[in-house]
Amino acid sequence: MAAFVKNCDRYAAFLYPNGTNSGRINLYCADGYRLYLIFVDGNLSENTYNEDIKTGVGYEPIDRYSDYLDLIRNEKPIRVTFNTTRKSYVVYASGEEVGEGEM
């Protein structure tokens, strides 16, 4: 498989204490697929994908944490595309009407 494209069903968000300056957002997608986004201050590790457990892990700078959290909290539906060969991903809103629910 070269890529998966799945709707995100739910998420969990964490900010770690004690000055680690790191966080994590887990995106749980359809058919058991998952994308774990790890936010760190400093050098980013290489993204990974484990086919056996259908889980991609991506790394982002900690200053992007609020951007991703805002996207997944406020837009629907959220979709995840993960290229399993290149270990790259995109998290995006797709299919929502422009200005939906806003006054």
Side-chain angles (χ1 to χ4, degrees), residues 46-67:
E46 295 285 325
N47 298 338
T48 62
Y49 181 71
N50 184 323
E51 182 75 39
D52 294 335
I53 58 173
K54 303 181 198 176
T55 301
V57 178
Y59 294 87
E60 290 284 338
I62 189 66
D63 61 351
R64 300 289 317 273
Y65 182 86
S66 61
D67 297 332

Side-chain angles (χ1 to χ4, degrees), residues 4-69:
F4 70 79
V5 179
K6 299 291 179 182
N7 282 335
C8 178
D9 298 327
R10 59 191 173 86
Y11 74 94
F14 310 88
L15 277 175
Y16 297 112
N18 302 325
T20 61
N21 205 18
S22 61
R24 176 177 176 145
I25 298 175
N26 296 347
L27 300 172
Y28 302 99
C29 303
D31 303 319
Y33 285 86
R34 297 174 289 200
L35 174 61
Y36 297 158
L37 297 174
I38 309 298
F39 298 85
V40 296
D41 187 19
N43 295 330
L44 303 179
S45 298
E46 295 285 325
N47 298 338
T48 62
Y49 181 71
N50 184 323
E51 182 75 39
D52 294 335
I53 58 173
K54 303 181 198 176
T55 301
V57 178
Y59 294 87
E60 290 284 338
I62 189 66
D63 61 351
R64 300 289 317 273
Y65 182 86
S66 61
D67 297 332
Y68 277 90
L69 192 57

